[in-house]
Structure formats: structure tokens, C-alpha cells
Amino acid sequence: MSHVVQTFRAPDPASALAAVKAALGPDAVLLSTRTVQTGLLRRREVEVTAAAAAPALAEPPRPAAPPAPRPRLAPAGDEALAAEVRHLRRSVEEARRALAAVTREARAHRDLDLPPPAVELYARLLGRGVEPVLAEELVRQALELARSRPAPLDALVRDLLGERLLPCRAPWLHEGRHVIALVGPTGVGKTTTLAKIAARAVLEARRKVALLTVDTYRIGATDQLARYGEIMGVPVLVARDRNELRRAAERVREADLVLIDTAGRSSADDVARQAELVRSVPRVQLHLVVSAASGASALAAVAEQYRGLMPDRLVFSKLDESSGPGAILSAAVRVGRPVACIADGQRVPEDLHAPTGPELCELVLTGYGTHTRERE
Ligand SMILES: Nc1nc2c(ncn2[C@@H]2O[C@H](COP(=O)(O)OP(=O)(O)OP(=O)(O)O)[C@@H](O)[C@H]2O)c(=O)[nH]1
Ligand SMILES: [Mg+2]
């Protein structure tokens, strides 16, 4: 049986309903009701859209029952017609969007084939910026674990994250002598992070610090580091090649913490050359600095690219510019090295943190704020 859909406007709900009944009969079904403003005076009217089986129209429309004011049916004229078309277009668009959302959800359920609580957790991980493939893997492993260890799924995911996000001692809190070199792509924040670590070591841990740089590539790079050194009262040495670097390292052998800055290069081969250069310093620990600002998949690609360097530690910068802290998981899983520290802003040294293992997991699962506590 075909149906007819019609829209009515009247000054009040009772009159609108009377108009519907009069035109479409007592079995008409109301599809929507809303208040609209019409005319120059922006008069309020009730707009009702109703549907009825087509035969109902065969009956002649009955007049609205007195004393209700005579309802005005869908207003006539070009302007009214245009308004009606706009309204219908909006309704169709809304329905289309709703249907697309439902379809998406249904597809996600079917493709992932996960129970509803797992889908919820999966969606939450995606919302935190975790790569979809990693999020799915974590949720599936948690479901598997839940078969032998009854526990809330998110607690199990937290445990699994703990296995992947390895913490380590904050670089500025090391006992004994340490030599750390920061390597990584251009502009990720190596020099700024190095200055933050140095400041922490000097101010909080009272360590004797020395700064070395092999970045003679970028104009102003040595000046940038020299200024930091001046402010903190620590020596800054510049080395142009392997021999100079070895000699410089020898000159600062009394320092508890030696921090080596390298040139940021856009090609992985050039970064590898920087890594090779600093590896000539005895007992150097290579810290790969990667920016979280570019998002999970870009971070995963960078991690893939630099995995070959076999860094000892990972440093994440620009978390404040990332779409979600879950992105760090991509690099941590791919490189498989402990996270030395994370930076979340330009302030030296405030915007640098060394989260513990549970704090790292918390950061990925629930967000900012938790990583600001420091490891003792
Ligand atoms: N928002 C934000 N900006 C940062 C962070 N770390 C560094 N920056 C900024 O990023 C820019 C580049 O920082 P640098 O420390 O010079 O980066 P770099 O890796 O040494 O750069 P190159 O030596 O040229 O490769 C500067 O404007 C920093 O202030 C961070 O955690 N968050
Ligand atoms: Mg630099």
C-alpha cells in the first residue's frame, strides 16, 4: 500500500493535529513535530509532518473542528515552497548521516567480530590516538587473556600495555657517569630536549653536566646550544668530526652527565651517519627522539625507519601537539626500547617528564596530567 506524507503548520499543536486528522484521516501517523518561526514578525507555528495510507486521501478533507482557529496548511507561495524544500533536504541529509553512522558501526562490529565491551574499548583506544591495528591486537589479546584470567578488559589491556611501554630511569637521575647522545629527524626537538635534561640534571640532581654538539650542519645550531650552556653554567664543546668528538669527550671526562647533540637530518641515511659518529664515543647511549605531533601512523613509519639504528632509549617530543598520547605506542612497540622521557611543550625545563611504567600506561589509556609526576 502506498503512503502519502504531508506537512502542516498551525498556530498551536491542537490545531495542527486537527488539520492532520482532517486531511489524512484518524489513522495518520505523526512523523515529526517542531516549532518554526515564519514571516517578517517571526511568528511561532507548529509544524507537523504526518503520513497516512494513500486511500485515506480519497476521502474529502473534513474541515477542522470549531472553535479551533482554521489551520493553515503548508504555506503557499515561492518562499514557503523553498523553505519546505530546504526542510526536506535537511531531513534527508540528517537521515543519510544517521544511516551512515549505523552502517559504519554495524560494519565495525561485523568486521572486527568483537563483543560490545571489546568494541567499546577498541573505540576508546582509537580515540586516544592508538593505531587501529595495534588497538585491535591489544583488545584481542585481552579477550584471550580474559578466558583464563577473569578481569575487566581495560585492566587486562593496561597489563598488556605495561609489557610494551618499558620505562627506565630518568636521564637526569642516573647514578655514576653517563654519556647520552640525542639523534633523530630534523626539528623534532633534540636540542630543546637536551637543554631540558641538562637543566634538570643541574638544578634537581646537582649533577656535573657537559654539553657536546656535532651539529655543525645547521646555521645557528652551535649558538643555540651555547646559549643554553651559558644560562646553565655548563661547558659546551663543538666537534666537527670523529677525532674532535673523541678529544672533546676526553676533555669532559670529569662530568657526571655528558649530553651530545646531533644534527637533525631528513634522510634516514644522514641520521644513521650522525648515529655512527656519536657511537665512536665510549659507552654512549643513543636516545632516538621522535615527535608525537605527526600522529600514530607517521610515528610508526618514523620508528620503522630508525629501528635499524638500534637506539638504547626512546624520547617522545611534542606530545602537546599530538592528537592523542596513544601514538607513542606505535614507536615503542616497533622499536622495542624503553621510554626515557617525554616532552610536552617548549618550556625548558618544565615540559619534560619521565613517567613510570604505570604512568605511561595511564597516559595512553586516560590522558594528560598523569605523566607530570616524576620518577624518584
Ligand atoms: N610544542 C612543542 N614544541 C617543541 C617541543 N620540543 C621542542 N619544541 C620546539 O620545536 C622547535 C625545534 O626544536 P629544536 O630543539 O631546535 O629541534 P631539533 O630537533 O634540535 O632541530 P634540528 O637540530 O634542526 O634538527 C623549537 O621551536 C622548539 O621550541 C615540545 O615538546 N612541544
Ligand atoms: Mg638541534
Side-chain angles (χ1 to χ4, degrees):
M1 194 193 296
S2 65
H3 286 73
V4 69
V5 178
Q6 225 173 311
T7 300
F8 304 88
R9 283 190 185 172
D12 57 80
S15 312
L17 282 180
V20 169
K21 279 194 179 157
L24 299 180
D27 298 327
V29 178
L30 295 188
L31 296 178
S32 73
T33 311
R34 63 175 190 146
T35 306
V36 290
Q37 290 188 313
T38 56
L40 283 175
L41 297 176
R42 315 295 298 151
R43 234 171 345 107
R44 281 182 169 276
E45 288 195 325
V46 175
E47 184 187 89
V48 175
T49 304
L57 276 187
E59 289 176 28
R62 279 165 286 177
R70 192 176 167 75
R72 197 156 56 89
L73 297 185
D78 285 353
E79 198 195 319
L81 193 64
E84 196 74 1
V85 169
R86 274 199 303 276
H87 166 63
L88 281 173
R89 275 214 188 111
R90 261 200 312 275
S91 307
V92 170
E93 181 54 25
E94 271 167 27
R96 197 192 60 76
R97 271 205 301 268
L99 186 65
V102 170
T103 312
R104 236 183 356 255
E105 209 168 288
R107 196 174 290 144
H109 274 73
R110 196 190 57 229
D111 289 355
L112 287 172
D113 191 23
L114 293 170
V119 171
E120 225 169 82
L121 188 57
Y122 171 77
R124 200 167 116 207
L125 287 169
L126 291 195
R128 310 290 310 142
V130 176
E131 266 182 289
V133 54
L134 269 178
E136 187 183 344
E137 191 185 307
L138 280 169
V139 170
R140 286 201 189 285
Q141 285 185 4
L143 283 170
E144 192 59 39
L145 272 179
R147 287 149 64 122
S148 56
R149 180 158 33 119
L153 271 190
D154 59 348
L156 294 171
V157 163
R158 202 177 295 261
D159 289 351
L160 291 167
L161 279 177
E163 290 166 18
R164 288 165 172 77
L165 290 167
L166 310 169
C168 61
R169 187 173 271 271
W172 54 95
L173 293 178
H174 283 303
E175 300 288 334
R177 187 168 189 272
H178 256 76
V179 183
I180 292 173
L182 300 189
V183 292
T186 179
V188 289
K190 296 178 295 297
T191 307
T192 310
T193 304
L194 183 133
K196 289 173 181 173
I197 297 173
R200 286 284 171 94
V202 170
L203 301 170
E204 290 174 22
R206 308 266 166 228
R207 295 281 194 273
K208 202 169 163 198
V209 177
L211 307 182
L212 265 54
T213 180
V214 293
D215 184 5
T216 49
Y217 175 78
R218 187 168 62 78
I219 293 167
T222 52
D223 291 345
Q224 185 187 4
L225 202 64
R227 261 201 313 278
Y228 279 127
E230 211 176 295
I231 295 166
M232 290 181 276
V234 303
V236 178
L237 281 73
V238 182
R240 276 167 304 192
D241 56 33
R242 193 174 292 254
N243 284 336
E244 284 193 9
L245 180 61
R246 205 174 300 133
R247 278 202 295 276
E250 184 60 26
R251 276 175 58 194
V252 296
R253 63 180 178 278
E254 297 296 315
D256 305 315
L257 180 63
V258 178
L259 295 165
I260 308 176
D261 196 14
T262 63
R265 306 300 302 269
S266 43
S267 107
D269 285 348
D270 286 336
V271 173
R273 267 192 280 280
Q274 293 285 298
E276 199 190 323
L277 175 60
V278 291
R279 279 229 200 263
S280 65
V281 177
R283 298 199 0 242
V284 70
Q285 285 203 333
L286 212 62
H287 284 43
L288 174 65
V289 186
V290 285
S291 161
S294 45
S297 39
L299 197 49
V302 169
E304 204 65 58
Q305 205 174 7
Y306 293 105
R307 189 163 46 176
L309 291 184
M310 297 205 280
D312 300 282
R313 301 280 185 262
L314 277 170
V315 174
F316 291 103
S317 65
K318 308 198 180 184
L319 238 76
D320 55 313
E321 290 182 358
S322 74
S323 54
I328 67 171
L329 201 58
S330 301
V333 168
R334 278 176 182 77
V335 180
R337 305 305 301 160
V339 179
C341 49
I342 55 177
D344 62 353
Q346 294 178 293
R347 294 177 308 164
V348 178
E350 294 93 331
D351 298 330
L352 185 70
H353 316 279
T356 61
E359 283 168 354
L360 273 174
C361 299
E362 199 61 36
L363 176 65
V364 168
L365 279 175
T366 55
Y368 288 114
T370 48
H371 61 289
T372 52
R373 276 172 284 149
E374 299 304 337
R375 186 175 13 205
E376 292 308 319

PDB file of all heavy atoms in Angstrom, residues 7-13 16 32-38 42-49 87 90:
ATOM      1  N   THR A   7       2.995  17.859   5.234  1.00  0.00           N
ATOM      2  CA  THR A   7       3.403  18.732   6.337  1.00  0.00           C
ATOM      3  C   THR A   7       2.344  19.808   6.549  1.00  0.00           C
ATOM      4  O   THR A   7       1.823  20.370   5.582  1.00  0.00           O
ATOM      5  CB  THR A   7       4.767  19.370   6.014  1.00  0.00           C
ATOM      6  OG1 THR A   7       5.711  18.304   5.856  1.00  0.00           O
ATOM      7  CG2 THR A   7       5.238  20.262   7.152  1.00  0.00           C
ATOM      8  N   PHE A   8       2.061  20.054   7.822  1.00  0.00           N
ATOM      9  CA  PHE A   8       1.021  21.038   8.172  1.00  0.00           C
ATOM     10  C   PHE A   8       1.595  22.044   9.136  1.00  0.00           C
ATOM     11  O   PHE A   8       2.441  21.698   9.964  1.00  0.00           O
ATOM     12  CB  PHE A   8      -0.164  20.344   8.860  1.00  0.00           C
ATOM     13  CG  PHE A   8      -0.756  19.238   8.048  1.00  0.00           C
ATOM     14  CD1 PHE A   8      -0.252  17.951   8.146  1.00  0.00           C
ATOM     15  CD2 PHE A   8      -1.807  19.494   7.172  1.00  0.00           C
ATOM     16  CE1 PHE A   8      -0.786  16.927   7.390  1.00  0.00           C
ATOM     17  CE2 PHE A   8      -2.336  18.466   6.410  1.00  0.00           C
ATOM     18  CZ  PHE A   8      -1.833  17.174   6.511  1.00  0.00           C
ATOM     19  N   ARG A   9       1.100  23.272   9.037  1.00  0.00           N
ATOM     20  CA  ARG A   9       1.502  24.283  10.029  1.00  0.00           C
ATOM     21  C   ARG A   9       0.251  24.900  10.616  1.00  0.00           C
ATOM     22  O   ARG A   9      -0.739  25.133   9.914  1.00  0.00           O
ATOM     23  CB  ARG A   9       2.346  25.369   9.390  1.00  0.00           C
ATOM     24  CG  ARG A   9       3.751  24.885   9.160  1.00  0.00           C
ATOM     25  CD  ARG A   9       4.633  26.031   8.759  1.00  0.00           C
ATOM     26  NE  ARG A   9       5.951  25.540   8.416  1.00  0.00           N
ATOM     27  CZ  ARG A   9       6.886  26.293   7.882  1.00  0.00           C
ATOM     28  NH1 ARG A   9       6.649  27.557   7.621  1.00  0.00           N
ATOM     29  NH2 ARG A   9       8.060  25.788   7.613  1.00  0.00           N
ATOM     30  N   ALA A  10       0.290  25.160  11.937  1.00  0.00           N
ATOM     31  CA  ALA A  10      -0.847  25.771  12.606  1.00  0.00           C
ATOM     32  C   ALA A  10      -0.333  26.557  13.804  1.00  0.00           C
ATOM     33  O   ALA A  10       0.799  26.344  14.248  1.00  0.00           O
ATOM     34  CB  ALA A  10      -1.798  24.668  13.065  1.00  0.00           C
ATOM     35  N   PRO A  11      -1.139  27.490  14.346  1.00  0.00           N
ATOM     36  CA  PRO A  11      -0.650  28.328  15.458  1.00  0.00           C
ATOM     37  C   PRO A  11      -0.360  27.531  16.728  1.00  0.00           C
ATOM     38  O   PRO A  11       0.420  27.951  17.562  1.00  0.00           O
ATOM     39  CB  PRO A  11      -1.790  29.320  15.694  1.00  0.00           C
ATOM     40  CG  PRO A  11      -2.655  29.228  14.496  1.00  0.00           C
ATOM     41  CD  PRO A  11      -2.474  27.875  13.911  1.00  0.00           C
ATOM     42  N   ASP A  12      -1.028  26.384  16.914  1.00  0.00           N
ATOM     43  CA  ASP A  12      -0.792  25.603  18.134  1.00  0.00           C
ATOM     44  C   ASP A  12      -0.917  24.102  17.829  1.00  0.00           C
ATOM     45  O   ASP A  12      -1.451  23.728  16.780  1.00  0.00           O
ATOM     46  CB  ASP A  12      -1.788  26.007  19.231  1.00  0.00           C
ATOM     47  CG  ASP A  12      -3.198  25.817  18.743  1.00  0.00           C
ATOM     48  OD1 ASP A  12      -3.676  24.674  18.759  1.00  0.00           O
ATOM     49  OD2 ASP A  12      -3.822  26.816  18.272  1.00  0.00           O
ATOM     50  N   PRO A  13      -0.427  23.236  18.741  1.00  0.00           N
ATOM     51  CA  PRO A  13      -0.424  21.793  18.471  1.00  0.00           C
ATOM     52  C   PRO A  13      -1.814  21.221  18.204  1.00  0.00           C
ATOM     53  O   PRO A  13      -1.971  20.407  17.290  1.00  0.00           O
ATOM     54  CB  PRO A  13       0.165  21.191  19.744  1.00  0.00           C
ATOM     55  CG  PRO A  13       0.950  22.283  20.364  1.00  0.00           C
ATOM     56  CD  PRO A  13       0.251  23.553  20.001  1.00  0.00           C
ATOM     57  N   ALA A  16      -2.883  21.947  14.765  1.00  0.00           N
ATOM     58  CA  ALA A  16      -2.084  21.198  13.790  1.00  0.00           C
ATOM     59  C   ALA A  16      -2.596  19.760  13.702  1.00  0.00           C
ATOM     60  O   ALA A  16      -2.764  19.221  12.608  1.00  0.00           O
ATOM     61  CB  ALA A  16      -0.624  21.215  14.200  1.00  0.00           C
ATOM     62  N   SER A  32       7.003  13.815  12.501  1.00  0.00           N
ATOM     63  CA  SER A  32       7.810  14.778  13.255  1.00  0.00           C
ATOM     64  C   SER A  32       6.976  15.990  13.627  1.00  0.00           C
ATOM     65  O   SER A  32       5.988  16.294  12.963  1.00  0.00           O
ATOM     66  CB  SER A  32       9.025  15.218  12.439  1.00  0.00           C
ATOM     67  OG  SER A  32       8.600  16.079  11.411  1.00  0.00           O
ATOM     68  N   THR A  33       7.385  16.612  14.718  1.00  0.00           N
ATOM     69  CA  THR A  33       6.723  17.839  15.162  1.00  0.00           C
ATOM     70  C   THR A  33       7.810  18.817  15.541  1.00  0.00           C
ATOM     71  O   THR A  33       8.788  18.443  16.183  1.00  0.00           O
ATOM     72  CB  THR A  33       5.879  17.565  16.430  1.00  0.00           C
ATOM     73  OG1 THR A  33       5.101  16.417  16.180  1.00  0.00           O
ATOM     74  CG2 THR A  33       4.969  18.725  16.769  1.00  0.00           C
ATOM     75  N   ARG A  34       7.687  20.059  15.117  1.00  0.00           N
ATOM     76  CA  ARG A  34       8.678  21.054  15.531  1.00  0.00           C
ATOM     77  C   ARG A  34       8.054  22.437  15.497  1.00  0.00           C
ATOM     78  O   ARG A  34       6.999  22.639  14.884  1.00  0.00           O
ATOM     79  CB  ARG A  34       9.926  21.010  14.646  1.00  0.00           C
ATOM     80  CG  ARG A  34       9.647  21.339  13.213  1.00  0.00           C
ATOM     81  CD  ARG A  34      10.932  21.390  12.405  1.00  0.00           C
ATOM     82  NE  ARG A  34      10.648  21.947  11.096  1.00  0.00           N
ATOM     83  CZ  ARG A  34      11.488  22.709  10.418  1.00  0.00           C
ATOM     84  NH1 ARG A  34      12.666  22.994  10.908  1.00  0.00           N
ATOM     85  NH2 ARG A  34      11.165  23.176   9.229  1.00  0.00           N
ATOM     86  N   THR A  35       8.708  23.349  16.194  1.00  0.00           N
ATOM     87  CA  THR A  35       8.208  24.722  16.206  1.00  0.00           C
ATOM     88  C   THR A  35       9.025  25.508  15.190  1.00  0.00           C
ATOM     89  O   THR A  35      10.244  25.376  15.139  1.00  0.00           O
ATOM     90  CB  THR A  35       8.398  25.338  17.607  1.00  0.00           C
ATOM     91  OG1 THR A  35       7.784  24.463  18.535  1.00  0.00           O
ATOM     92  CG2 THR A  35       7.750  26.698  17.709  1.00  0.00           C
ATOM     93  N   VAL A  36       8.350  26.310  14.382  1.00  0.00           N
ATOM     94  CA  VAL A  36       9.079  27.104  13.380  1.00  0.00           C
ATOM     95  C   VAL A  36       8.674  28.565  13.520  1.00  0.00           C
ATOM     96  O   VAL A  36       7.631  28.872  14.112  1.00  0.00           O
ATOM     97  CB  VAL A  36       8.767  26.632  11.936  1.00  0.00           C
ATOM     98  CG1 VAL A  36       9.367  25.272  11.670  1.00  0.00           C
ATOM     99  CG2 VAL A  36       7.262  26.617  11.681  1.00  0.00           C
ATOM    100  N   GLN A  37       9.511  29.453  13.012  1.00  0.00           N
ATOM    101  CA  GLN A  37       9.183  30.871  13.028  1.00  0.00           C
ATOM    102  C   GLN A  37       8.978  31.309  11.598  1.00  0.00           C
ATOM    103  O   GLN A  37       9.801  31.013  10.734  1.00  0.00           O
ATOM    104  CB  GLN A  37      10.302  31.665  13.683  1.00  0.00           C
ATOM    105  CG  GLN A  37      10.367  31.383  15.186  1.00  0.00           C
ATOM    106  CD  GLN A  37      11.323  32.300  15.889  1.00  0.00           C
ATOM    107  OE1 GLN A  37      12.433  32.483  15.437  1.00  0.00           O
ATOM    108  NE2 GLN A  37      10.897  32.854  16.997  1.00  0.00           N
ATOM    109  N   THR A  38       7.875  31.992  11.354  1.00  0.00           N
ATOM    110  CA  THR A  38       7.594  32.366   9.964  1.00  0.00           C
ATOM    111  C   THR A  38       7.295  33.849   9.842  1.00  0.00           C
ATOM    112  O   THR A  38       6.948  34.515  10.827  1.00  0.00           O
ATOM    113  CB  THR A  38       6.368  31.613   9.419  1.00  0.00           C
ATOM    114  OG1 THR A  38       5.279  31.875  10.294  1.00  0.00           O
ATOM    115  CG2 THR A  38       6.603  30.127   9.330  1.00  0.00           C
ATOM    116  N   ARG A  42       8.321  36.905  12.538  1.00  0.00           N
ATOM    117  CA  ARG A  42       8.864  35.688  13.147  1.00  0.00           C
ATOM    118  C   ARG A  42       7.836  35.039  14.060  1.00  0.00           C
ATOM    119  O   ARG A  42       8.112  34.686  15.194  1.00  0.00           O
ATOM    120  CB  ARG A  42      10.166  35.970  13.940  1.00  0.00           C
ATOM    121  CG  ARG A  42      11.148  36.847  13.260  1.00  0.00           C
ATOM    122  CD  ARG A  42      11.732  36.257  12.005  1.00  0.00           C
ATOM    123  NE  ARG A  42      12.476  35.022  12.224  1.00  0.00           N
ATOM    124  CZ  ARG A  42      12.595  34.069  11.306  1.00  0.00           C
ATOM    125  NH1 ARG A  42      11.964  34.186  10.154  1.00  0.00           N
ATOM    126  NH2 ARG A  42      13.302  33.007  11.545  1.00  0.00           N
ATOM    127  N   ARG A  43       6.579  34.908  13.570  1.00  0.00           N
ATOM    128  CA  ARG A  43       5.522  34.267  14.358  1.00  0.00           C
ATOM    129  C   ARG A  43       5.838  32.793  14.548  1.00  0.00           C
ATOM    130  O   ARG A  43       6.315  32.123  13.637  1.00  0.00           O
ATOM    131  CB  ARG A  43       4.176  34.406  13.619  1.00  0.00           C
ATOM    132  CG  ARG A  43       3.130  35.027  14.485  1.00  0.00           C
ATOM    133  CD  ARG A  43       1.851  35.372  13.735  1.00  0.00           C
ATOM    134  NE  ARG A  43       1.895  35.395  12.302  1.00  0.00           N
ATOM    135  CZ  ARG A  43       1.331  34.453  11.531  1.00  0.00           C
ATOM    136  NH1 ARG A  43       0.695  33.451  12.071  1.00  0.00           N
ATOM    137  NH2 ARG A  43       1.400  34.535  10.242  1.00  0.00           N
ATOM    138  N   ARG A  44       5.561  32.283  15.756  1.00  0.00           N
ATOM    139  CA  ARG A  44       5.826  30.879  16.038  1.00  0.00           C
ATOM    140  C   ARG A  44       4.669  30.022  15.547  1.00  0.00           C
ATOM    141  O   ARG A  44       3.512  30.371  15.757  1.00  0.00           O
ATOM    142  CB  ARG A  44       5.972  30.647  17.551  1.00  0.00           C
ATOM    143  CG  ARG A  44       7.315  31.066  18.040  1.00  0.00           C
ATOM    144  CD  ARG A  44       7.462  30.779  19.514  1.00  0.00           C
ATOM    145  NE  ARG A  44       8.840  30.958  19.912  1.00  0.00           N
ATOM    146  CZ  ARG A  44       9.779  30.037  19.783  1.00  0.00           C
ATOM    147  NH1 ARG A  44       9.484  28.848  19.343  1.00  0.00           N
ATOM    148  NH2 ARG A  44      11.023  30.272  20.119  1.00  0.00           N
ATOM    149  N   GLU A  45       4.974  28.934  14.883  1.00  0.00           N
ATOM    150  CA  GLU A  45       3.948  27.992  14.451  1.00  0.00           C
ATOM    151  C   GLU A  45       4.413  26.575  14.728  1.00  0.00           C
ATOM    152  O   GLU A  45       5.608  26.328  14.874  1.00  0.00           O
ATOM    153  CB  GLU A  45       3.699  28.150  12.943  1.00  0.00           C
ATOM    154  CG  GLU A  45       2.976  29.417  12.597  1.00  0.00           C
ATOM    155  CD  GLU A  45       2.429  29.384  11.187  1.00  0.00           C
ATOM    156  OE1 GLU A  45       3.089  28.802  10.314  1.00  0.00           O
ATOM    157  OE2 GLU A  45       1.331  29.923  10.977  1.00  0.00           O
ATOM    158  N   VAL A  46       3.435  25.676  14.813  1.00  0.00           N
ATOM    159  CA  VAL A  46       3.782  24.277  15.000  1.00  0.00           C
ATOM    160  C   VAL A  46       3.742  23.611  13.631  1.00  0.00           C
ATOM    161  O   VAL A  46       2.782  23.807  12.879  1.00  0.00           O
ATOM    162  CB  VAL A  46       2.784  23.590  15.954  1.00  0.00           C
ATOM    163  CG1 VAL A  46       3.090  22.098  16.055  1.00  0.00           C
ATOM    164  CG2 VAL A  46       2.835  24.248  17.314  1.00  0.00           C
ATOM    165  N   GLU A  47       4.807  22.879  13.325  1.00  0.00           N
ATOM    166  CA  GLU A  47       4.842  22.189  12.036  1.00  0.00           C
ATOM    167  C   GLU A  47       4.810  20.681  12.286  1.00  0.00           C
ATOM    168  O   GLU A  47       5.611  20.160  13.053  1.00  0.00           O
ATOM    169  CB  GLU A  47       6.128  22.546  11.288  1.00  0.00           C
ATOM    170  CG  GLU A  47       6.165  21.931   9.907  1.00  0.00           C
ATOM    171  CD  GLU A  47       7.509  22.150   9.241  1.00  0.00           C
ATOM    172  OE1 GLU A  47       8.385  21.293   9.436  1.00  0.00           O
ATOM    173  OE2 GLU A  47       7.679  23.166   8.546  1.00  0.00           O
ATOM    174  N   VAL A  48       3.851  20.040  11.695  1.00  0.00           N
ATOM    175  CA  VAL A  48       3.693  18.602  11.896  1.00  0.00           C
ATOM    176  C   VAL A  48       3.802  17.914  10.548  1.00  0.00           C
ATOM    177  O   VAL A  48       3.175  18.347   9.574  1.00  0.00           O
ATOM    178  CB  VAL A  48       2.321  18.279  12.535  1.00  0.00           C
ATOM    179  CG1 VAL A  48       2.112  16.781  12.631  1.00  0.00           C
ATOM    180  CG2 VAL A  48       2.213  18.915  13.910  1.00  0.00           C
ATOM    181  N   THR A  49       4.634  16.859  10.504  1.00  0.00           N
ATOM    182  CA  THR A  49       4.685  16.049   9.279  1.00  0.00           C
ATOM    183  C   THR A  49       4.019  14.720   9.610  1.00  0.00           C
ATOM    184  O   THR A  49       4.334  14.104  10.637  1.00  0.00           O
ATOM    185  CB  THR A  49       6.132  15.833   8.822  1.00  0.00           C
ATOM    186  OG1 THR A  49       6.732  17.111   8.656  1.00  0.00           O
ATOM    187  CG2 THR A  49       6.196  15.083   7.505  1.00  0.00           C
ATOM    188  N   HIS A  87      13.775  22.291   4.237  1.00  0.00           N
ATOM    189  CA  HIS A  87      13.498  21.445   5.393  1.00  0.00           C
ATOM    190  C   HIS A  87      13.620  19.974   5.015  1.00  0.00           C
ATOM    191  O   HIS A  87      14.238  19.172   5.722  1.00  0.00           O
ATOM    192  CB  HIS A  87      12.094  21.752   5.918  1.00  0.00           C
ATOM    193  CG  HIS A  87      11.578  20.738   6.876  1.00  0.00           C
ATOM    194  ND1 HIS A  87      12.199  20.516   8.083  1.00  0.00           N
ATOM    195  CD2 HIS A  87      10.531  19.880   6.812  1.00  0.00           C
ATOM    196  CE1 HIS A  87      11.546  19.560   8.716  1.00  0.00           C
ATOM    197  NE2 HIS A  87      10.531  19.150   7.973  1.00  0.00           N
ATOM    198  N   ARG A  90      17.207  18.991   4.500  1.00  0.00           N
ATOM    199  CA  ARG A  90      17.891  18.813   5.795  1.00  0.00           C
ATOM    200  C   ARG A  90      17.525  17.472   6.411  1.00  0.00           C
ATOM    201  O   ARG A  90      18.374  16.751   6.910  1.00  0.00           O
ATOM    202  CB  ARG A  90      17.508  19.940   6.770  1.00  0.00           C
ATOM    203  CG  ARG A  90      18.555  21.040   6.828  1.00  0.00           C
ATOM    204  CD  ARG A  90      18.426  21.857   8.094  1.00  0.00           C
ATOM    205  NE  ARG A  90      17.078  22.299   8.382  1.00  0.00           N
ATOM    206  CZ  ARG A  90      16.531  23.399   7.889  1.00  0.00           C
ATOM    207  NH1 ARG A  90      17.213  24.164   7.063  1.00  0.00           N
ATOM    208  NH2 ARG A  90      15.297  23.743   8.193  1.00  0.00           N
TER     209      ARG A  90
END
